[in-house]
């Protein structure tokens, strides 16, 4: 059995069998992980990731769970969380080494306290730095990958590698590091001294976020904006607002948000995503691409 195999090889790493996943994602849907681990150190992360990759068993990397969708039932394999890699070390007045599991809102707080700027566009974005880097999370034409000096990641062979800024390609909601099998464990980021104008920019990002749906469990924007279009507008014009499958509903406030009214299942959300994408395609011929990372059957999601 996989559990026994991992446990006997790596007895110092805490494993949980049949971990319910709904409490680990902001949408609050999904089944159970066959095995769940949240390593306490980069060394433990290297060991467990290398071990499961070598055995070719399914492995899913979970950050803050704010942009993911778990299917129902049992997710076979190992879900590895970065939640315990969560420290920050300032190297200079402007530069910090930040662990993958460090929460973006905490990072924003650090910047505010140190009067630093450069990440205003991330105001109000939940989740962890690792997840944000994998999807180049952002707003207003900016993404977190811009701030990178370098990223430290564990590769499929369990070895740690450093990727300099120039090694990484990124664009709107895309980072080339997500295109291989690896776990981001930390990154060095450089900021700049804040000016009064930065504070105004931050306020304007917070205002836009404030007008988005809140109160019910959701995973942020469902689809990426296709080039030259707004997914929210396309979905709205295609009559998606208020569509439901079970307890999953398309927000009346912003059509690119799917909300869990209480007891939605992962399958309800998956079905609703499909219905919305089909409506937009039938009306416009545009194929919307999910921004939410769906935990199956793709092997690596962060
Ligand atoms: N719109 C509609 N109907 C809707 C929703 C939007 O007509 O139901 C229109 C708006 O009126 C506006 C346009 O569509 O003219 C764009 O909408 P919005 O300003 O809300 O921005 P967005 O492109 O939908 C992006 C990011 C958000 C980010 C906001 C604000 C994507 C997919 N979404 O939304 O990010 O918060 O800008 O900065 O890039 C996320 O990534 O999870 C996310 C929510």
């Amino acid at each position: 059995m996989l559990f026994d195999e991992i446990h006997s090889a790596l007895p110092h790493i805490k494993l949980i069998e049949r971990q319910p996943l709904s409490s680990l994602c902001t949408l609050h849907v999904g089944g159970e992980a066959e095995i769940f681990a949240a390593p306490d150190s980069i060394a433990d992360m290297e060991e467990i990731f290398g071990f499961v990759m070598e055995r070719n068993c399914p492995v899913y990397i979970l950050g803050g769970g704010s942009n993911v969708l778990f299917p129902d039932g049992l997710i076979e394999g190992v879900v590895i969380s970065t939640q315990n890699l969560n420290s920050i070390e300032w190297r200079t007045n402007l530069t910090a080494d930040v662990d993958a599991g460090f929460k973006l809102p905490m990072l924003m707080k650090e910047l505010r306290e140190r009067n630093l700027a450069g990440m205003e566009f991330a105001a109000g974005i939940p989740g962890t730095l690792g997840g944000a880097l994998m999807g180049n999370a952002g707003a207003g034409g900016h993404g977190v990958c811009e701030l990178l000096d370098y990223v430290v990641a564990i590769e499929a062979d369990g070895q740690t590698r450093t990727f300099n800024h120039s090694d990484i390609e990124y664009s709107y909601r895309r980072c080339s590091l997500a295109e291989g099998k690896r776990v981001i464990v930390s990154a060095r980021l450089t900021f700049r001294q804040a000016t009064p104008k930065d504070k105004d920019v931050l306020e304007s990002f917070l205002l836009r976020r404030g007008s988005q749906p809140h109160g019910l469990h959701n995973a942020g924007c469902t689809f990426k904006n296709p080039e030259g279009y707004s997914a929210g507008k396309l979905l709205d014009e295609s009559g998606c607002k208020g569509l439901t499958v079970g307890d999953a509903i398309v927000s009346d406030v912003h059509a690119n948000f799917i909300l869990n009214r209480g007891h939605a299942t992962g399958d309800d959300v998956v079905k609703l995503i499909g219905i919305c994408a089909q409506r937009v395609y039938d009306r416009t011929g545009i194929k919307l691409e999910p921004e939410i990372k769906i935990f199956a059957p793709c092997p690596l999601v962060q």
Side-chain angles (χ1 to χ4, degrees), residues 139 172-173 208-209 212 221 225 230 236 241 254-255 291:
Y172 170 72
R173 297 297 192 274
R208 280 182 73 182
R209 287 262 161 202
Q212 292 173 353
C221 284
N225 286 336
S230 155
D236 191 356
K241 278 184 174 171
H254 194 302
E291 181 189 311

Side-chain angles (χ1 to χ4, degrees), residues 181-255:
K181 297 186 177 188
R182 59 175 63 87
V183 191
I184 291 180
V185 287
S186 71
R188 178 165 290 187
L189 306 172
T190 293
F191 307 96
R192 57 183 163 74
Q193 286 301 326
T195 64
K197 189 167 167 262
D198 291 316
K199 295 204 170 105
D200 295 343
V201 173
L202 186 113
E203 284 306 318
S204 71
F205 277 110
L206 277 175
L207 253 172
R208 280 182 73 182
R209 287 262 161 202
S211 67
Q212 292 173 353
H214 43 83
L216 289 178
H217 298 309
N218 69 79
C221 284
T222 311
F223 297 98
K224 296 180 188 179
N225 286 336
E227 214 178 325
Y229 294 92
S230 155
K233 197 157 187 274
L234 290 169
L235 290 155
D236 191 356
E237 289 168 353
S238 305
C240 293
K241 278 184 174 171
L243 286 179
T244 59
V245 175
D247 253 359
I249 182 166
V250 177
S251 166
D252 273 332
V253 175
H254 194 302

